[in-house]
């Protein structure tokens, strides 16, 4: 899937933040962060999220927490672009495992 573009926004010892631009039909497949909590703050558009097997939608202004160990995925299933600010804590490139299926 993927197909999005991202830009680093802030990097510190405790967190890593990045902005994404997700065109229609893009997203991140199911995975689990084993050592980091992840947040999404939707700036524009709508994301369809799978959080621990439950499907939800998050729109402009919504913030979603995905605690470490929680299987999750996100997709832009809408007609327009979606943008979001993501951040993970602790800092570093997200440590994750795949293998969770929908």
């Amino acid at each position: 899937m993927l197909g999005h573009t991202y830009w680093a926004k802030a990097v510190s010892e405790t967190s890593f933040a990045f902005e994404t631009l997700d065109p229609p039909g893009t997203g991140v497949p199911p995975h689990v962060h084993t050592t980091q909590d992840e947040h999404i703050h939707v700036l524009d558009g709508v994301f369809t999220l799978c959080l621990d097997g439950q499907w939800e939608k998050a729109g402009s202004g919504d913030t979603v927490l995905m605690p470490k160990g929680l299987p999750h995925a996100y997709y832009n299933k809408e007609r327009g672009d979606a943008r979001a600010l993501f951040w993970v804590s602790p800092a570093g490139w997200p440590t994750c495992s795949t293998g969770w299926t929908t």
Side-chain angles (χ1 to χ4, degrees):
M1 276 244 142
L2 300 180
H4 62 263
T5 303
Y6 68 93
W7 301 269
K9 292 294 187 179
V11 179
S12 74
E13 291 182 18
T14 58
S15 68
F16 170 56
F18 53 98
E19 182 180 344
T20 66
L21 173 64
D22 296 81
T26 61
V28 175
H31 62 285
V32 175
H33 296 274
T34 57
T35 61
Q36 296 165 309
D37 292 325
E38 182 174 21
H39 292 82
I40 302 172
H41 179 75
V42 182
L43 300 170
D44 293 308
V46 175
F47 286 101
T48 300
L49 303 135
C50 190
L51 304 171
D52 200 21
Q54 299 294 316
W55 290 97
E56 306 284 340
K57 285 196 175 190
S60 183
D62 290 338
T63 300
V64 178
L65 166 63
M66 297 168 293
K68 65 183 172 189
L70 180 81
H72 62 279
Y74 83 90
Y75 305 96
N76 178 358
K77 295 185 174 186
E78 307 298 317
R79 292 185 177 178
D81 290 344
R83 286 186 327 114
L85 180 64
F86 286 72
W87 65 98
V88 294
S89 182
W93 190 250
T95 303
C96 62
S97 63
T98 58
W100 178 70
T101 58
T102 57

